[in-house]
Amino acid sequence: MTAYRLPAGGLIDRSHTLAFSFDGKSLSGHAGDTLASALLANDRLLVGRSFKYHRPRGIVTAGPSEPNALVTVGSGVRRDPNTKATVAELYDGLVATSQNRWPSLAFDIGAVNGLMARFLSAGFYYKTFMWPAAFWEKVYEPLIRRAAGLGRTDLSPDPDSYEKSWAHCDLLVVGSGPAGLAAALVAARSGLRVILAEQDFALGGTLLSETTRLDGEAPYIFARRVLDELQNSPNVTLLPRTTVFGWYDDNVFGALERVQKHGAAVDAVKPVERLWRIVAKHAILASGAEERPLVFGGNDRPGVMTASAAATYANRFGVAAGKAVAIFTNGASGYRTARDLAAQGIGIAALIDSRPDAAEAAPAGVRLIRGGSIIDTRGGAGLRGIVADRGGFEDLIACDAVAMSGGWSPVIHLACQRGGRPVWSDALQAFLAPDVGAGLVPAGAAAGQYRLSACFEDGARKAADIVEALGRQAAGFQAPVVGEEPDPSFTALWHVPGAKSKAFVDFQNDVHLGDLGLAVREGFGHVEHAKRYTTGGMATDQGKLGNINAIGILAAMRGVSPAEVGTTTFRPFYTPVSFGALAGTSVGGHAMPVRRSPLHGWAARNGATFIEAGLWYRSSWFAKGEEKTWRESVDREVRSVRENAGLCDVSTLGKIEVFGPDAAEFLNRLYCNPLLKLPVGKARYGLMLREDGMVFDDGTVSRLGEAHFLITTTTAMAGGVLSHMEFAAQVLWPQLRVRFLSVSDQWAQMSIAGPKARVILQSIVEDDISHAAFPFLAAREVRLKGNLKGRLFRISFSGELAYELAVPAGYGEAVADALMRAGLPHGMCAYGVEALNVLRIEKGHVTHAELDGRVTPDDAGLGHMMGTGKADFIGKRLSNRFGLTAADRAQLVGLKALEADQEMRAGAHLLKDGAKPSTINDQGWVSSACFSPTLRMPIALAFLKSGRERYGEKIVVWDRLRGVETMAEVCHPVFVDPDNSKLTA
Amino acid sequence: MASLISCPHCGTRPKEEFAIRGDATPLRPSSMASDEAWHDYVHLRTNPRGRVREHWQHVAGCRRWLVVERDNLSHAVFSVTDAATEVDR
Ligand SMILES: [Zn+2]
């Protein structure tokens, strides 16, 4: 194994040396190198260990289908595992480490798996780890996870930023080889908006490694000329380092641009990667073709690579894969590689052609073996020779590299991602893209047109068709004069008979010929079964290289055509995409935006502990002095409200303002209770139902004018109620003259509750709010001192004398502060949603804990609200159906624990005393529970079968989850002030 | 599911801006209609393969309810209209 840098040639900048390291060893390369070409130039052929057997593995390709050369690039928090060295652009200071080996790449203990190979055959996972089931969690899975592995990621937060962008174009060209350049040029000259995306850091595709002359010059010179023209066309966007990974509905393409993955320093202002969604009227798939490996004994030894890779390393990167390269081919490509290597002065050990009577001639002085094959390789972690077979005669040939060519497969992945299945071509011995319509058209080698001249012609013609389809005149394209080209044909050779050692089909997952044979023998010959049974094609490369040979082998074993075997399903992503790019800017606070009430600052100043409620942060309780537990604070807040007063932030409630001559009629159809006669200046509690008769949401409806209402929704349903109203207004009754909008964020709203609420409130309100002037359920605009206008509602959730005051959001904190100052001498406190919850349970008011979608108004004790006299409202018709009016439905009741130290929790079930816990015996459930500081005992709201007839009954509150059983007495759900004397005080 | 929806009011927008409700075919019966008609409207849905008419709302745009006629197999969208104008048809 003696790869080396050629003295001259290649598209690298030899005047620009880059330092990098591999497994701690300092090495150097040149600008224009990939990590793989630089490693080869330093004679580092061993780059990784295989997944299952930990066999030494080298570089197989020079592109994105690489199965072996997966390394970790970067260090610390900027560590990218499973990076393909064959596409990683070399930069100064690059740090690369090998993977899947322990303790070192050269000496890897996992390689003993190779000795246990017969236990690790196909179906191994299914057979070995099936039993006993208990072993999975404790033994098998940790074992497999440690042995398996590939790269490991860094678990600390990603320091880099990513972004997502949309792009729009008339034509997206995927790939910048001859077909892609011709297509882009025709479209650009015709005035189309063009995006040309190329996964490589250099544009030009195979023209960068091709040696056939174009117009008498090296092909890269032609490519540069075309790219210059494209670069200077304002209607063209060139996207190098951009992999188009997915094709989605409406011709939207997903692409990953590596913006800053090719340097050690990261500019924090820019993203490191950008995820593009490209909306293309048309797209041309010019993704080229993939050269197939040959399946022969020992074909995984470092030093064995595809012929096109060997030629690319020589021509584009100025690197020889070895000093004596054996070439094994089933077609003309091997001869072309032989010519290219010979032209660079690289020694060729032999050219072995599997076809007995091919017409091609080997370069002068090269030993040609027709009708021959390789049946084994020699060497350790590096190649020293091959065993060639010709008509049964074995021949040991010394060499340090093998260039193999098994024919070509068009890269059609994108075209098959939306359900279209590849179509087998007998003529080309390859799968071609199905006809997927005019949106995405393969061209050039991706369409099975392998000759350069055909690529130019095909790309140009298909672009011209698109130009004309878009109603424009197609501009001309003068294709270059192409020098002598070899015949691209080959004779399929799915595997080489007579292998003397393992012949690998899937290098990354260590699937060899024998595994496929076993799969067929054991009844897993279907391509989808064989894939899962052998794990062939399931590695990170998704079988880009190996699948076609696996299909050919299965076909041969089953005695059918590859067309009959078919392919496994193609799905995005073509190559892996980082989670960072998929998340884009939706990380941290942007992943889940925080909604803060306009009174957030006021709550924080008063010592609030906040709780997340959806996106909202709501003040939960306000700890004071020596209070250690939330219960201490909540009990004090509740007592304070009942005895003096409290101020609570209720700004998170949904608020929707409704206008129009038909506003009253609209709301009357939306709520189950009558609203037509609601007087101006009054509020009313309202219940919305679903059409199936269950409660949807509750809130208040206030009439601020004849044709102007303000409704509130629960915090959680603010969005849902708005959509529901929009559906009703736009779809159900578009003839109603009504308009509405959400004003939830425009108003700060606070509840002032307690016997002293009025006197405190009056001190900041200019208008008279005495009981006579502002009675229970009054709702209207008031003038505050200092001339600020607010909206005041005399409504109560706590059961106390209470008001809700709304002021424009920006004034919220100042008003709340003023109220707190005014309330101080009266013993007013700030109270949070926990105390609010206790207060409302004591008063028997329901929330979504009760209104859980299974509850009718009557179940919740609100049956009297139903406007049965109304002609129609949402939910009216099905409210009367059988089952919703049954007498044994679960009805809202109160529960009082018989012992003060016994707790009840929401979710507990209710059982008759002595009854066995079972579904049959289930009597209902607890929906809300708390300790009542007012009653000094645990209380709960619950739904109990025929509950309203059972006040006074003793019942078991059975909480299996927490292992608690409590005896409770069933009672009326209103524990505090049942005759509402406080509300009207 | 389509990638893009052409809102008649806002133009072509990504599907992430829309919320789907379901079959747009059932029309709300009158309050005098039979139990069967109401049961059908509220509870029964066919689950056809192919061409469907659905209610989608442009929640992150104009907030209009739309009728999207599309093929749930090929994902092709045939038409997008404002649901209010549909009612008058
Ligand atoms: Zn819209």
Side-chain angles (χ1 to χ4, degrees), chain A residues 883-906:
Chain A
L884 291 201
T885 51
D888 69 340
R889 283 187 66 82
Q891 297 167 336
L892 185 74
V893 296
L895 296 177
K896 292 177 184 170
L898 292 189
E899 319 249 345
D901 61 344
Q902 289 273 24
E903 86 175 318
M904 295 182 286
R905 301 278 283 271

Side-chain angles (χ1 to χ4, degrees), chain A residues 123-349:
Chain A
F124 153 78
Y125 293 99
Y126 298 94
K127 291 170 185 167
T128 311
F129 297 132
M130 286 297 276
W131 181 92
F135 268 42
W136 251 112
E137 203 182 325
K138 292 277 191 295
V139 183
Y140 297 146
E141 197 181 322
L143 199 75
I144 291 171
R145 286 202 185 278
R146 185 144 26 92
L150 297 179
R152 291 183 200 289
T153 189
D154 188 273
L155 295 178
S156 38
D158 191 331
D160 296 324
S161 63
Y162 300 80
E163 71 177 25
K164 293 185 185 181
S165 291
W166 284 89
H168 301 260
C169 62
D170 298 315
L171 176 65
L172 167 68
V173 180
V174 182
S176 64
L181 286 186
L185 198 61
V186 167
R189 287 176 177 173
S190 310
L192 263 52
R193 279 200 299 170
V194 179
I195 293 175
L196 175 60
E198 166 61 57
Q199 58 85 23
D200 202 315
F201 56 87
L203 293 159
T206 51
L207 297 181
L208 303 179
S209 52
E210 176 66 56
T211 51
T212 304
R213 312 291 273 183
L214 298 179
D215 287 338
E217 291 177 312
Y220 75 87
I221 296 174
F222 170 80
R224 275 190 194 157
R225 227 175 356 249
V226 174
L227 287 165
D228 277 348
E229 183 177 337
L230 292 174
Q231 185 87 59
N232 292 321
S233 307
N235 51 331
V236 176
T237 305
L238 300 180
L239 289 178
R241 303 184 177 94
T242 303
T243 304
V244 180
F245 59 75
W247 180 42
Y248 302 95
D249 289 338
D250 304 309
N251 237 33
V252 175
F253 291 82
L256 181 73
E257 181 185 3
R258 290 167 295 275
V259 182
Q260 292 193 81
K261 284 288 182 185
H262 51 287
V266 171
D267 178 354
V269 175
K270 292 186 201 159
V272 291
E273 291 180 337
R274 185 178 288 127
L275 191 86
W276 286 101
R277 276 176 286 177
I278 302 171
V279 184
K281 286 188 188 140
H282 291 270
I284 285 181
L285 183 63
S287 44
E290 198 75 71
E291 193 169 24
R292 298 174 197 164
L294 284 165
V295 181
F296 57 88
N299 64 344
D300 68 327
R301 206 176 293 282
V304 179
M305 63 175 66
T306 65
S308 57
T312 298
Y313 286 119
N315 298 336
R316 177 175 165 187
F317 298 105
V319 174
K323 287 192 164 146
V325 182
I327 299 169
F328 183 18
T329 188
N330 63 348
S333 292
Y335 292 81
R336 185 169 58 185
T337 298
R339 269 203 307 282
D340 285 358
L341 299 188
Q344 300 276 9
I346 299 168
I348 296 170

Side-chain angles (χ1 to χ4, degrees), chain A residues 41-106:
Chain A
N42 286 278
D43 196 23
R44 296 294 300 236
L45 268 70
L46 171 60
V47 291
R49 291 268 174 182
S50 67
F51 183 66
K52 195 160 81 177
Y53 301 132
H54 289 245
R55 286 167 73 100
R57 289 286 164 76
I59 295 157
V60 185
T61 71
S65 58
E66 175 62 32
N68 282 352
L70 303 183
V71 298
T72 297
V73 170
S75 56
V77 292
R78 289 204 170 88
R79 194 168 71 179
D80 289 330
N82 302 342
T83 302
K84 289 176 280 288
T86 49
V87 296
E89 184 174 356
L90 193 70
Y91 57 83
D92 203 42
L94 185 149
V95 176
T97 40
S98 58
Q99 304 178 158
N100 201 29
R101 82 289 187 263
W102 186 84
S104 74
L105 186 54

Side-chain angles (χ1 to χ4, degrees), chain A residues 249 691 723 726 730 872 877, chain B residues 1 3 28 33 57 65 75:
Chain A
D249 289 338
E691 286 287 19
S723 274
E726 285 161 337
Q730 296 169 26
D872 192 10
R877 188 59 173 75
Chain B
M1 195 67 72
S3 298
R28 190 172 186 269
Q57 189 186 16
W65 279 93
H75 299 182

Side-chain angles (χ1 to χ4, degrees), chain A residues 29 303 433 531 645 742 963:
Chain A
K531 168 179 172 171
S742 165

Side-chain angles (χ1 to χ4, degrees), chain A residues 898-937:
Chain A
L898 292 189
E899 319 249 345
D901 61 344
Q902 289 273 24
E903 86 175 318
M904 295 182 286
R905 301 278 283 271
H909 279 257
L910 305 179
L911 296 165
K912 282 184 175 160
D913 194 9
K916 198 167 130 314
S918 71
T919 310
I920 302 265
N921 290 338
D922 188 17
Q923 294 287 301
W925 67 93
V926 176
S927 52
S928 301
C930 67
F931 177 82
S932 165
T934 312
L935 280 72
R936 297 175 204 280
M937 65 165 72

Side-chain angles (χ1 to χ4, degrees), chain A residues 775-864:
Chain A
F776 183 53
L777 294 177
R780 64 170 183 260
E781 192 173 88
V782 291
R783 221 155 24 91
L784 307 188
K785 290 187 174 155
N787 229 7
L788 179 68
K789 280 179 182 167
R791 286 171 175 173
L792 190 63
F793 311 87
R794 189 166 162 194
I795 52 180
S796 175
F797 200 36
S798 58
E800 295 298 321
L801 167 66
Y803 301 82
E804 287 189 15
L805 175 64
V807 295
Y811 290 96
E813 287 195 24
V815 171
D817 286 342
L819 272 170
M820 287 302 281
R821 277 194 301 275
L824 198 63
H826 301 283
M828 186 168 79
C829 72
Y831 68 104
V833 289
E834 286 295 343
L836 185 67
N837 193 42
V838 171
L839 290 161
R840 70 94 191 168
I841 293 173
E842 289 180 340
K843 182 63 184 175
H845 277 153
V846 292
T847 65
H848 276 296
E850 283 70 39
L851 309 176
D852 64 358
R854 300 176 293 174
V855 167
T856 67
D858 188 59
D859 296 343
L862 302 169
H864 59 89

